[in-house]
Amino acid sequence: MKKKIFVCRRIPELALKRLAAEVELDVWPDELPPSRSELLKHVKGCDGILSLLSDRMDAEVFEQAGSQLRVVSNYAVGFNNIDVREAHQRGIKVGNTPGVLTEATADIAAGLILATARRFSESLEQVKRLEWKTWDPLGLLGLELRGATLGIVGMGRIGMALAKRMHYGWDMNVIYTARSDKPDAETLLSAKRVNLETLLRRADIVSLHADYNPSTHHLINSTTLGLMKSSAILINTARGGLIDQSALYHALKHGKIWGAGLDVTDPEPLPSDSPLREIARCVILPHIGSATVETRQAMADIAVNNLLAGLHGRPLPHEVRL
Ligand code: GLV
Ligand code: GLV
């Protein structure tokens, strides 16, 4: 009998075709994620699930699916939407898609640094609203980036790719936090590992690349924002929950920091009544870090490889281990 798979959204077609050749495929057809009750209905009897970061995978889902469920393959590098411990206790393997989205995501982080420091949001608005009146000697002045100090919070692959761009392109000095020294960062970029407090006090740009889990929830809050320079900018391309958004709103509103560039928020999408929308120096993108044709295709290939390996009882090419 063919194995049964639920795919929580449409992903690039080629990868779906590879799956369809081997398994009985149920693909959620809508643009928006399945509701919780739809999700619970569709996973019933499945041997594998291909999930997205917006689909919560927990005991209830595993229970509904049934004891034949072997693998949950996340179409993302982050896996904070999955209760990995619970999955492992039930013998369910969990996969993710690291590596292939590193460069695309680092590009968005670099773009947000430029967009925030040079006030792209306000500038674009000015043109669109026909408020561009003249070349203004004192208008839309931003921050000079050359030689700035870049603080990478969580020096993994994406942090390193961003640090390279900014060090080689803009002569930035790099400091970082990580669980251990990163010899590559030290030899290639003369980057120094420091503790979070030192990083926040020294950096002109603070960019978040840490895993999101209970220990990093609201890592950036009113206390840690208070350590940052009033001329500093904060960039987040990791997960919205790393930042206490209400504290960020107050810090921006009262000039405690200069600006922020966010590709992720909590929740997503950003609610219509979020006051962050009104902050001119807060540039917000709709979570597009990995959104290039090539990267989304590569992620789909890995997600399908993980899924098929799990179904056949083989080790996943990219398995999440705690
Ligand atoms: C996207 O945010 C991912 O984790 O892949
Ligand atoms: C993601 O791939 C990271 O390790 O930064």
Side-chain angles (χ1 to χ4, degrees):
M1 214 174 63
K2 275 195 173 178
K3 305 274 190 199
K4 225 179 126 200
I5 301 293
F6 180 53
V7 180
C8 297
R9 218 75 40 76
R10 298 201 68 80
I11 62 169
E13 199 59 38
L14 274 177
L16 283 182
K17 281 199 177 128
R18 271 178 62 216
L19 267 184
E22 288 204 35
V23 304
E24 186 189 326
L25 205 53
D26 174 15
V27 181
W28 182 251
D30 295 351
E31 186 188 347
L32 295 179
S35 66
R36 188 71 181 169
S37 59
E38 288 290 355
L39 177 68
L40 292 174
K41 206 160 83 193
H42 283 260
V43 297
K44 241 189 171 70
C46 279
D47 301 284
I49 302 172
L50 198 151
S51 54
L52 271 63
L53 51 91
S54 38
D55 310 306
R56 193 156 44 82
M57 294 285 131
D58 55 12
E60 190 185 19
V61 171
F62 306 149
E63 197 60 43
Q64 277 295 310
S67 58
Q68 76 297 328
L69 180 65
R70 283 285 151 272
V71 56
V72 174
S73 174
N74 216 34
Y75 187 63
V77 64
F79 47 83
N80 58 291
N81 58 307
I82 302 179
D83 187 341
V84 179
R85 204 172 301 278
E86 180 69 33
H88 286 171
Q89 271 167 14
R90 293 168 181 257
I92 301 164
K93 289 183 173 165
V94 177
N96 70 338
T97 66
V100 290
L101 45 71
T102 301
E103 303 299 326
T105 307
D107 284 347
I108 288 297
L112 280 172
I113 293 175
L114 294 180
T116 306
R118 300 301 301 273
R119 304 175 64 172
F120 281 15
S121 282
E122 294 156 89
S123 301
L124 293 165
E125 283 292 312
Q126 194 181 88
V127 176
K128 279 198 187 151
R129 291 192 182 148
L130 305 179
E131 287 164 3
W132 176 20
K133 300 204 176 71
T134 180
W135 186 88
D136 181 353
L138 299 176
L140 291 168
L141 303 187
L143 301 175
E144 199 75 41
L145 289 172
R146 187 180 168 81
T149 295
L150 171 65
I152 302 278
V153 176
M155 184 64 109
R157 283 168 289 236
I158 299 171
M160 183 70 185
L162 175 65
K164 279 186 189 159
R165 282 160 174 70
M166 304 323 286
H167 178 72
Y168 295 128
W170 280 263
D171 260 345
M172 289 195 189
N173 306 308
V174 179
I175 53 180
Y176 67 94
T177 67
R179 278 184 222 104
S180 57
D181 284 346
K182 304 284 172 174
D184 265 10
E186 321 241 334
T187 41
L188 295 175
L189 312 174
S190 315
K192 289 278 163 288
R193 181 156 78 104
V194 296
N195 63 30
L196 182 64
E197 182 177 334
T198 305
L199 183 144
L200 294 171
R201 285 187 197 282
R202 283 203 206 146
D204 300 305
I205 300 154
V206 173
S207 189
L208 306 181
H209 303 279
D211 276 351
Y212 178 55
N213 58 46
S215 75
T216 55
H217 176 70
H218 290 187
L219 184 70
I220 301 299
N221 51 45
S222 56
T223 309
T224 45
L225 282 162
L227 299 173
M228 289 176 64
K229 298 181 185 179
S230 56
S231 57
I233 64 179
L234 175 68
I235 303 296
N236 190 6
T237 53
R239 283 293 180 270
L242 292 170
I243 299 179
D244 174 346
Q245 275 172 198
S246 140
L248 176 61
Y249 168 74
H250 288 286
L252 288 166
K253 182 150 175 84
H254 302 295
K256 302 257 192 260
I257 67 170
W258 198 85
L262 313 175
D263 185 42
V264 289
T265 61
D266 182 24
E268 293 180 0
L270 191 65
S272 57
D273 60 355
S274 167
L276 272 183
R277 288 174 189 277
E278 291 150 28
I279 302 282
R281 289 198 204 150
C282 189
V283 179
I284 306 178
L285 301 178
H287 202 152
I288 56 168
S290 65
T292 69
V293 175
E294 293 85 349
T295 290
R296 289 285 165 83
Q297 180 64 53
M299 289 167 64
D301 287 340
I302 295 183
V304 166
N305 291 344
N306 282 338
L307 197 58
L308 291 174
L311 290 181
H312 295 130
R314 296 193 307 259
L316 310 196
H318 293 283
E319 182 163 349
V320 174
R321 294 196 173 80
L322 288 182

